[in-house]
Amino acid sequence: MKSCKIIVVLMAGLALSWGLFLSTAAAKPIKIGVLGPMSFTQGEGHWNGATMAAEEVNAAGGIQVGKEKREIELVKVDTNEFLSIPDATNAVEMAVSRHKVDFLVGGFRTEAVLVMQDIAMESKTVFIGCGAAHPQLCTRVLDDYDTYKYWFRLTPINSSYLGKVDFILLGTAGAIIKKELGVEKVKVAIVAEKAAWADPIVAAAQKIIPEKMGMEVAGVWRPSPVATDCSAELSAIQRAGAHIVFTTFSSSVGLTFAKQMGELKVPAAPVGINVESQKSGFWEATNGAGNYVLTINTYNPVKISEFTIPFVEDYRKRYGEMPNYTAGTHDAIKILQVAIEKAGTINSDEVVKMLEATDLNTAAGRVVFDKSHDVTWGPNYVTALGTQWRDGEMKCVWPYNWEGVTYEGSVPYKLPPWMVEYWKNK
Amino acid sequence: MRIVVTYIRRVLKILRAEVLVLPSRVTVMVFAIALLALPLVTQDYYILRIMILTSIFAILAASWDLLSGFTGQMNFGHALFFGVAAYVTALLNLRLGLPPYFSIPLGAMGAVLTGLIVGIPCLRLKGSYLALTTLAFPIILMGLVFAFPGITGGELGLSGLTKLTGSRVMDYYVTTSLMLILGGVMWKITDSNTGVILHAIREDEVAARAAGINTTRYKLLAFCLSGFFAGIAGGLYAHFMRLAGPSTLEIGLSFQVIIWSVFGGMVSIYGPIAGVYILNPFMEVLRIILDNFPSLPEMRMFIFAALVLLTLRFMPEGLIPWLRDKVESECPRCKVRNVFFRRSCRICNADMT
C-alpha cells in the first residue's frame, strides 16, 4: 500500500514537472515587427535599438505574460519607404498577415507611416511610432479613437515641440551672446534648406525672433538640400553682421554648411537643427571644422534617467556610433514589456489600456502618453537635448538650468572662441 | 434562349478558330481566368494587396504604352496623370464626400484635362525635347503641392479617404476586372483605325499629315486617352491606399512605368501589363527569399536592376515579344500569325518556311 502511495506521488510529481516543462517549452515568443528603411541609417537605428532591447529582455528570461515567460522575436521589416510607398505598405502587410507579428515599432517617412498606420489599425496591431514627427499621426487618435487607439508615438518629440526646443536653444545662445559679448541687439541669420518641412520654421522664425525674442533678423538664406558649396551664403551672412546662424537642416547641406562655416571662421554661433551633426561621423566628415555646432538631439551620455548612460555607452561600444533618435525602438520595446506584464496578456485592447497608463523612465526620459497617444514633452518629461560639438566630443548643453532641469553630465553652452575674439575686438 | 445559344456558339467558334490556335492568346486567356480565380485559392491579405497594386500599375503602364509606345510621344512624366487623378479623387472624396465610383471617374477626367493642358504645349516638340518637357510637369505640380498645403496636404498628402470597397477580396475583383477591361479597351483602340493612325504618326508624322490626317488632333487624343486610363489607375490607388501624396508624382514612379513597359515589350499594350505582372510580384518574391538571409535585403534592388538589364540586353524588344516570336511566326504572305511548328499558314495555306 505504502509503495503504491509512493508511486502515485512520484507519478504526480513527474506529471507536474512535465506540465511545467511543456508550458515553458510551448511558450511562443512575442513577435515584434521592426519597421524601417533598412538600407539607410534611420532603418539601422531602428533595428539596432530594437535588437539591444530584445537581447536585454530575453537575457532576463523574456516578458512575463500571465504565468509564463515569453521571449521576444524580432522581425526585420525593410519598408524601403524613401523610395516606394507601395513597397512600404507591402512590407507592413507581410509582417502583419504573414509573419503574424504581435506588435510593430518604427516607421520613418510620415507619408508612408500614415498608410502603415492604417494597415496596423485594420488588424488591431499595437504600433509604436519611432521616427515620424508630424502631429497628424496622433490627431487621428483624437478624431477616431476606436480605430486609431492602437497607435502611440514615442520618438522624436513631435514637430511642434521640436519647434519649441529650437527657439529655446536660440534664446539660450542669444542670452549668452548678450551677456558675454555685451551685444545690445543680437542679429540672427535664418538659414534653412529649401524643403517644404523647413518653410513653417522659417515663417515662425521671421515672426518670433523680432517680436518675441527681442533679436533682429539679419536675413533669410535657403540653400539647396544637396548644395555642395555654401560659401556665397556664408559671405553674405558675415556681411550682414549676424551673431547667430539659426540652422534648419536635415540633409547633406548641413555637413557642407558646417564644414565651410568652420573653415571660414565665420564669427557667428551655429544653433538649431542640423541632423548631420547628430551623427558620430560628423567630426571626421568636417575634419573638425564642425566644432561648436549646436543641434537638437535625442541621446547623449548624460543622466536623463538611470538608463540613458548604459544604453548610449552599450550602443556606442556595439555599433561604433551614437544612437540616433530612431534607436528609440529600444525604449519602445521596454515600454511594451511593462505594458504587457501589467496587462498579463498580449491582447491589443488590454495592452493599449496599460500603454495609456504608462509612466516610465526610459533612456530618452520619462514617458507619459497624452490623450492623443503622443509622448508628453516638458520639464520632468521627455525634453529632447541640445548637443554641441567640442573638440571631437558631442556635449549635452541643454537642458542646463532650464525650468529646474539639468541633466547630470551636461555642461554650459560655449560660444566659438574665434567668434568671441572677433566681436570683442570690434 | 435561342439568342443565348447563338452567342455561346459564336464564343465557342471564336475560341476554337481565334484563341486556341495561338499560344499567346491561350496564355492571355489562362492568365485572365487564373487572375479571376485567385481568391478562390487564397485570400491572404498580403498576396491580394500585391495583386491589387499590380493591377493598378498594369493599367498605368498600359496607358503609358498607348501614348509613348503607339504614338511615339515619349512621356517621361507619366506620374503626372496618375498623381493629378489621385489628388482630384482624394479632394472630391474628402471635401465633397463623393464615393469611389464617382470620385475615381471624375479624378480620371481631371487627368484628361491635364492631358489637354500638357498635350498642347508638347505638340510641337519631339524626341528628347518632348521627354524633358513632360518630365518637368510632375515636378512643377509637386512644387504646387508644397506651395498650397492647405489644399493638398503638403508633404503629408491627403489621407483618410474612403476605402475602395468594404473588403480586400472585393478590392481585388474591382481592380483586376478593371485592369482586364481597360487593358482590353486599350488594346482594341490600338487595333482600330485610330490605332493605325497613331502608329502612322509615330513612324512618319510628315507622311501622315501629307495623307490628310490631322496629326495634332490625334496626338491630343492620345494624350487625353492615356491620361484617362492613367487617371483611373491613380484614383484606384488613392482609394486603395487611402492616401494621395507627393509620392504619386515622384519621378521614380514615372521611370518605374517606363521600366515595366520596356521590360514587358512596348507597342503591344499586353507587354507592359505582363511586365508589371512579372516584375512587381518578383520584387515581393525577392523580399521573401532574402528575408532568410539577414545580410542580403539590400541586394533586392540590385537583383531587380540586373534582371532588367540582362533582359534588355538579350531581348531588346522586351520579354513578351521575344517569347511570342519563339512560339509563333508570321505568314510571309498574309501576315497572319501561326504557331511555330506549322509548315503552312492556317489562313492562306502559304508555305511558312
Side-chain angles (χ1 to χ4, degrees), chain B residues 182-199:
Chain B
L182 297 180
V185 170
M186 280 185 260
W187 181 75
K188 258 316 213 191
I189 290 171
T190 58
D191 204 36
S192 66
N193 285 342
T194 308
V196 174
I197 292 169
L198 296 181
H199 237 303

Side-chain angles (χ1 to χ4, degrees), chain B residues 222-274:
Chain B
F223 265 103
C224 293
L225 278 173
S226 178
F228 175 77
F229 293 114
I232 295 279
L236 288 170
Y237 177 88
H239 273 290
F240 177 64
M241 300 287 268
R242 304 183 67 205
L243 173 96
S247 60
T248 58
L249 289 162
E250 274 173 0
I251 294 171
L253 179 62
S254 295
F255 287 142
Q256 186 82 54
V257 172
I258 299 171
I259 292 169
W260 283 323
S261 304
V262 174
F263 173 84
M266 282 168 65
V267 204
S268 60
I269 298 297
Y270 52 79
I273 291 176

Side-chain angles (χ1 to χ4, degrees), chain A residues 27-39:
Chain A
K28 258 177 40 182
I30 296 172
K31 279 192 177 182
I32 301 177
V34 183
L35 311 172
M38 297 301 173
S39 311

Side-chain angles (χ1 to χ4, degrees), chain A residues 119-178:
Chain A
I119 295 169
M121 299 305 110
E122 209 167 310
S123 61
K124 298 188 190 307
T125 308
V126 173
F127 181 4
I128 302 186
C130 306
H134 204 282
Q136 193 184 324
L137 290 160
C138 290
T139 51
R140 283 177 146 192
V141 180
L142 294 176
D143 295 343
D144 183 358
Y145 177 80
D146 288 336
T147 307
Y148 290 100
K149 66 179 176 183
Y150 307 100
W151 162 264
F152 290 82
R153 211 183 58 78
L154 184 63
T155 183
I157 53 172
N158 78 36
S159 45
S160 316
Y161 297 142
L162 279 173
K164 280 188 182 175
V165 175
D166 213 12
F167 286 108
I168 290 172
L169 293 183
L170 179 62
T172 307
I176 290 171
I177 288 170
K178 268 189 181 179

Side-chain angles (χ1 to χ4, degrees), chain B residues 19-185:
Chain B
V19 178
L20 297 176
V21 288
L22 285 175
S24 60
R25 291 178 189 172
V26 174
T27 310
V28 170
M29 190 181 72
V30 171
F31 171 70
I33 293 169
L35 270 187
L36 294 173
L38 180 74
L40 304 175
V41 181
T42 176
Q43 293 192 2
D44 184 306
Y45 265 40
Y46 171 61
I47 292 177
L48 291 184
R49 169 177 283 276
I50 292 160
M51 296 311 286
I52 288 166
L53 285 171
T54 304
S55 293
I56 292 170
F57 290 135
I59 299 171
L60 181 66
S63 72
W64 181 83
D65 196 28
L66 182 68
L67 175 65
S68 299
F70 278 89
T71 321
Q73 303 294 299
M74 201 45 76
N75 184 359
F76 271 28
H78 204 58
L80 175 74
F81 299 135
F82 188 79
V84 164
Y87 271 103
V88 173
T89 302
L91 284 169
L92 290 172
N93 181 253
L94 293 171
R95 303 270 195 271
L96 302 179
L98 292 187
Y101 46 85
F102 280 128
S103 61
I104 293 173
L106 288 174
M109 292 317 290
V112 171
L113 196 67
T114 312
L116 268 176
I117 296 167
V118 174
I120 292 168
C122 290
L123 284 174
R124 292 174 185 280
L125 301 172
K126 280 190 183 123
S128 48
Y129 296 101
L130 176 68
L132 288 173
T133 310
T134 50
L135 184 65
F137 280 103
I139 298 170
I140 294 168
L141 193 68
M142 183 91 90
L144 291 174
V145 163
F146 288 125
F148 300 102
I151 301 168
T152 61
E155 58 191 312
L156 289 182
L158 300 165
S159 58
L161 276 77
T162 313
K163 287 178 183 171
L164 186 58
T165 68
S167 77
R168 188 59 59 87
V169 175
M170 275 307 289
D171 284 352
Y172 175 82
Y173 273 118
V174 167
T175 48
T176 307
S177 313
L178 274 173
M179 187 281 297
L180 291 171
I181 294 165
L182 297 180
V185 170

Side-chain angles (χ1 to χ4, degrees), chain A residues 307-360:
Chain A
F307 305 108
T308 317
I309 296 173
F311 168 65
V312 173
E313 292 304 338
D314 284 356
Y315 192 100
R316 209 153 53 169
K317 229 179 269 169
R318 186 160 174 178
Y319 301 109
E321 60 182 18
M322 286 287 287
N324 61 17
Y325 67 89
T326 55
T329 45
H330 178 270
D331 290 343
I333 288 175
K334 291 299 179 86
I335 289 167
L336 263 178
Q337 178 189 10
V338 173
I340 293 168
E341 287 182 346
K342 278 187 184 165
T345 168
I346 59 163
N347 174 283
S348 295
D349 290 283
E350 298 303 317
V351 173
V352 164
K353 280 182 202 160
M354 292 306 141
L355 282 172
E356 283 172 343
T358 298
D359 188 344
L360 192 72

